[in-house]
């Protein structure tokens, strides 16, 4: 999917989709970082956006864990 996800898009996902998305986004982030290191990345802001997506995903996952108590 698209690298950078907004919070409302993330909240719309099921728990299963959240885990999947986090996994996918993390892998993409690693790949982007590698490409940035080797100088193959035209837009150096991209990893930052992807990192924010990861943070948002983790936030929503955490919120749901807390809500289940």
């Amino acid at each position: 999917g698209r690298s950078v996800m907004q919070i409302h898009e993330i909240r719309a996902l099921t728990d299963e989709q959240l885990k999947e998305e986090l996994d996918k986004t993390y892998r993409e982030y690693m790949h982007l970082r590698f490409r940035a290191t080797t100088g193959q990345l035209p837009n150096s802001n991209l990893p930052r956006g992807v990192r924010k997506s990861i943070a948002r995903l983790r936030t929503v996952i955490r919120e749901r864990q807390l809500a289940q108590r």
Side-chain angles (χ1 to χ4, degrees):
R2 208 173 73 252
S3 319
V4 182
M5 290 184 77
Q6 296 307 310
I7 193 79
H8 63 268
E9 299 173 294
I10 291 171
R11 287 194 202 283
L13 300 173
T14 66
D15 291 359
E16 202 47 54
Q17 287 172 315
L18 272 177
K19 288 191 191 74
E20 231 167 85
E21 203 58 51
L22 183 60
D23 198 50
K24 211 167 60 192
T25 310
Y26 191 72
R27 274 202 304 270
E28 184 182 3
Y29 174 61
M30 285 309 179
H31 182 67
L32 279 175
R33 252 184 42 183
F34 175 74
R35 281 178 54 201
T37 311
T38 53
Q40 298 172 323
L41 211 57
N43 176 7
S44 57
N45 275 331
L46 205 52
R48 186 162 157 247
V50 176
R51 210 166 62 228
K52 293 230 181 257
S53 290
I54 293 173
R56 288 187 190 117
L57 285 160
R58 286 195 175 138
T59 300
V60 174
I61 289 170
R62 183 87 185 107
E63 281 173 355
R64 290 186 187 182
Q65 283 172 347
L66 292 173
Q68 281 165 4
R69 290 185 182 179

